[in-house]
Amino acid sequence: MMGGGQNAVLAQLLAQAEGQAADLIALRAIVEEAGTLGATRALARLGLEDAQASKDMAELRELLAAWREAKKSLWKAVLGWIAKTALVLMLAGLAVKLRLWELLK
């Protein structure tokens, strides 16, 4: 899951801070190591700690972008069909109103 090295570094920094008045540099180092350790644990819990994870995330982002583009294209097509259908119905109504079918006889 994660190396014991990060735990050891954090433990060493905490012991160093306890032994003396913790200065700003030591506190920043502790916070940074704790953040790195927490991020590593979170990624491990999600199954994203291996080298393949960045490739997997890139593929997921591409898939999500393609899905969003497909949704956008679908909506454009649906709205286009609705507009065309409304236009055809208006033209048919106009033809009935002007009695244009009589010219075809």
Side-chain angles (χ1 to χ4, degrees), residues 27-84:
L27 289 175
R28 283 184 177 169
I30 291 169
V31 168
E32 185 177 332
E33 284 299 318
T36 301
L37 183 61
T40 302
R41 285 180 180 170
L43 289 172
R45 286 181 185 146
L46 294 172
L48 298 172
E49 77 277 9
D50 61 349
Q52 193 71 8
S54 63
K55 183 181 174 189
D56 293 342
M57 290 303 295
E59 288 177 359
L60 285 172
R61 287 178 187 265
E62 288 176 22
L63 184 61
L64 184 58
W67 170 253
R68 288 178 178 154
E69 187 63 33
K71 280 192 334 185
K72 191 186 311 181
S73 296
L74 175 67
W75 279 112
K76 284 182 181 179
V78 167
L79 291 176
W81 276 102
I82 290 171
K84 289 174 187 173

Side-chain angles (χ1 to χ4, degrees), residues 2-41:
M2 74 182 123
Q6 289 177 331
N7 284 333
V9 170
L10 184 57
Q12 181 183 4
L13 288 169
L14 287 171
Q16 180 182 355
E18 285 178 13
Q20 60 187 10
D23 59 356
L24 186 59
I25 294 172
L27 289 175
R28 283 184 177 169
I30 291 169
V31 168
E32 185 177 332
E33 284 299 318
T36 301
L37 183 61
T40 302
R41 285 180 180 170

Side-chain angles (χ1 to χ4, degrees), residues 77-101:
V78 167
L79 291 176
W81 276 102
I82 290 171
K84 289 174 187 173
T85 302
L87 183 61
V88 166
L89 290 174
M90 284 184 357
L91 288 174
L94 185 62
V96 168
K97 180 135 179 127
L98 296 176
R99 299 177 185 245
L100 293 177
W101 73 86

